């Protein structure tokens, strides 16, 4: 069985603060992929990043950075110098090949990020 | 960037009506998915398809049905809508040949309200 836990239901920070969204996953597979998606109030899910289980390099894209640590089964997401436009629900998701059954994404429950001006 | 479309974006309908939610993608993706998103945000897989004439039920039981007659089209149907079907429905697609590696791209979603 696979599971993704986003323990932070809601985070509220003031604009320009840094904020980290936590994601912890569980899977028995050795090959798996982790994703982050952003869901703004309009409702669509916007893909942010994909990371495979063999690549533990951290990644930075502008104000966004991701820290993947297999030792703690975590894939945390940090926004530096947050902006009001970053306000959204952020989902962490897992895709693993268990050899059978549906291969859809297993999502965490999401973290609602509120950036106050 | 992905080209995946869903219509309607919003639908308010009475109990007992038959509805079809449309999903189309122009990328030639083999695999398509339907997710249901609760008002409390959690997403659950309800249907998926590996290609034409292939449909399977997902992790969450759903009274809806799907069909896949064309690669680009994956509609979802509710024969008799009920208030418990009120939710957001998100369609996604990805390439099939790469196994689990490829990214799923999502449509804008349909917000369904059944009165």
């Amino acid at each position: 069985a696979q599971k993704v836990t986003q323990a932070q239901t809601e985070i509220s920070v003031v604009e320009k603060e840094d904020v980290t969204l936590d994601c912890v996953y569980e899977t028995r597979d050795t090959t798996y992929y982790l994703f982050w998606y952003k869901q703004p109030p309009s409702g669509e899910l916007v893909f942010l990043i994909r990371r495979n289980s063999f690549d533990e390099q951290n990644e930075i894209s502008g104000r966004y950075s991701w820290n993947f640590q297999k030792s703690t089964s975590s894939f945390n997401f940090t926004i530096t110098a947050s902006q009001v436009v970053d306000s959204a629900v952020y989902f962490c998701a897992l895709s693993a090949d268990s050899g059978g059954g549906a291969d859809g994404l297993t999502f965490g429950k999401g973290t609602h990020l509120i950036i106050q001006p | 960037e992905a080209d995946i479309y869903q219509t309607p974006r919003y639908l308010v309908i009475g109990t007992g009506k038959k509805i079809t939610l449309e999903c189309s993608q122009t990328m030639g993706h083999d695999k398509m998915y339907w997710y249901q998103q609760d008002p409390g945000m959690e997403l659950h897989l309800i249907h998926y398809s590996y290609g034409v004439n292939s449909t399977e039920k997902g992790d969450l039981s759903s009274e809806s049905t799907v069909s896949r007659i064309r690669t680009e089209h994956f509609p979802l149907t509710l024969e008799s809508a009920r208030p418990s079907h009120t939710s957001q429905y998100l369609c996604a697609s990805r390439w099939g040949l790469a196994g689990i590696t490829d990214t799923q791209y999502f449509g804008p979603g349909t917000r369904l309200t059944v009165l």
Side-chain angles (χ1 to χ4, degrees):
Chain A
Q2 301 163 19
K3 185 178 180 181
V4 176
T5 302
Q6 294 180 255
Q8 304 149 310
T9 303
E10 184 174 292
I11 300 175
S12 180
V13 301
V14 177
E15 198 172 22
K16 297 184 183 177
E17 287 186 14
D18 299 348
V19 58
T20 295
L21 309 181
D22 297 332
C23 173
V24 174
Y25 62 92
E26 296 175 28
T27 180
R28 294 180 180 176
D29 294 282
T30 55
T31 301
Y32 52 89
Y33 284 77
L34 295 162
F35 302 82
W36 276 95
Y37 287 88
K38 174 182 180 180
Q39 188 174 41
S42 52
E44 74 273 22
L45 275 174
V46 178
F47 165 71
L48 295 177
I49 191 171
R50 181 185 75 195
R51 172 67 68 220
N52 74 58
S53 53
F54 299 106
D55 182 2
E56 287 194 72
Q57 277 191 325
N58 292 331
E59 180 149 343
I60 299 174
S61 176
R63 296 183 297 106
Y64 295 172
S65 62
W66 291 268
N67 182 10
F68 175 34
Q69 290 193 330
K70 287 180 73 172
S71 60
T72 56
S73 297
S74 65
F75 186 42
N76 297 335
F77 173 32
T78 298
I79 301 175
T80 303
S82 59
Q83 299 176 3
V84 172
V85 293
D86 295 327
S87 296
V89 179
Y90 290 85
F91 289 94
C92 182
L94 168 69
S95 177
D97 185 4
S98 299
D103 69 347
L105 292 167
T106 298
F107 283 91
K109 293 188 177 184
T111 297
H112 186 194
L113 178 62
I114 300 168
I115 311 297
Q116 299 181 20
Chain B
E1 202 63 36
D3 295 321
I4 181 164
Y5 309 98
Q6 290 186 245
T7 58
R9 290 294 312 278
Y10 303 91
L11 179 61
V12 180
I13 201 163
T15 297
K17 300 289 187 183
K18 177 180 178 178
I19 59 170
T20 296
L21 308 184
E22 302 287 350
C23 175
S24 295
Q25 49 93 6
T26 59
M27 299 163 286
H29 286 170
D30 299 309
K31 294 192 172 183
M32 296 189 73
Y33 306 81
W34 277 103
Y35 292 84
Q36 183 174 340
Q37 184 172 25
D38 303 334
M41 301 188 302
E42 196 165 2
L43 289 107
H44 297 285
L45 179 69
I46 54 174
H47 298 284
Y48 63 100
S49 167
Y50 288 158
V52 171
N53 294 324
S54 154
T55 61
E56 302 286 346
K57 289 192 178 294
D59 304 320
L60 180 69
S61 177
S62 174
E63 294 168 346
S64 59
T65 59
V66 292
S67 62
R68 189 90 181 274
I69 299 173
R70 303 197 314 265
T71 297
E72 64 272 19
H73 195 213
F74 190 40
L76 180 147
T77 298
L78 277 165
E79 291 292 334
S80 179
R82 294 206 300 269
S84 61
H85 296 139
T86 294
S87 190
Q88 168 150 271
Y89 293 85
L90 288 155
C91 181
S93 72
R94 68 174 178 88
W95 294 108
L97 296 179
I100 62 167
T101 64
D102 267 320
T103 300
Q104 285 189 27
Y105 292 98
F106 284 80
T110 295
R111 290 187 190 272
L112 172 65
T113 302
V114 184
L115 303 176

